[in-house]
Amino acid sequence: MKRILASTDTVLLEYLRASLRDRGIAAFVRNAVNAGSAAGELSPAVAPPELWVVDESDHDAAERLVERLVAAVRAPVAGEPWQCPRCGERIEPQFSQCWACGATHPDAEERR
Ligand SMILES: [Zn+2]
């Protein structure tokens, strides 16, 4: 097992874990706040939650992926508002789906 990332942002860690799992990389979050009640556990302030991969041979691939995902999550939303191809509604760039009719952005597949 090998550590990929430590972060107090457990939502981010869970998101990354799920993303790795989707790509066939087994990972888990250690020191999650709600799992730390056992005797002798350090508090989250001392030991922030960490993302680990189960198989060390996945480490490099996982690390590259996590780097990309974290950058994508933290990057300011770029791009132009787009027009829904189905109903013509104007949609802000951070949304990949039309709020009016539910149609997805034409490029939504590439954005993932
Ligand atoms: Zn629409």
Side-chain angles (χ1 to χ4, degrees), residues 1-16:
M1 295 185 293
K2 208 156 180 186
R3 197 183 74 165
I4 301 291
L5 180 77
S7 170
T8 52
D9 189 344
T10 51
V11 174
L12 174 69
L13 292 180
E14 280 299 325
Y15 163 72
L16 294 172

Side-chain angles (χ1 to χ4, degrees), residues 12-97:
L12 174 69
L13 292 180
E14 280 299 325
Y15 163 72
L16 294 172
R17 186 184 62 78
S19 300
L20 290 173
R21 187 197 56 206
D22 287 349
R23 288 161 179 79
I25 298 174
F28 62 96
V29 176
R30 177 178 276 190
N31 296 336
V33 175
N34 58 7
S37 55
E41 287 276 355
L42 297 172
S43 79
V46 176
E50 299 171 337
L51 181 69
W52 288 63
V53 285
V54 174
D55 189 339
E56 284 187 28
S57 64
D58 286 334
H59 177 265
D60 291 353
E63 198 171 52
R64 278 196 301 274
L65 182 66
V66 163
E67 226 167 71
R68 273 215 325 271
L69 291 169
V70 169
V73 166
R74 292 187 176 157
V77 177
E80 301 288 320
W82 53 285
Q83 195 175 28
C84 175
R86 193 191 292 173
C87 72
E89 193 62 49
R90 200 175 122 102
I91 313 295
E92 294 301 312
Q94 67 266 39
F95 301 109
S96 60
Q97 196 171 22

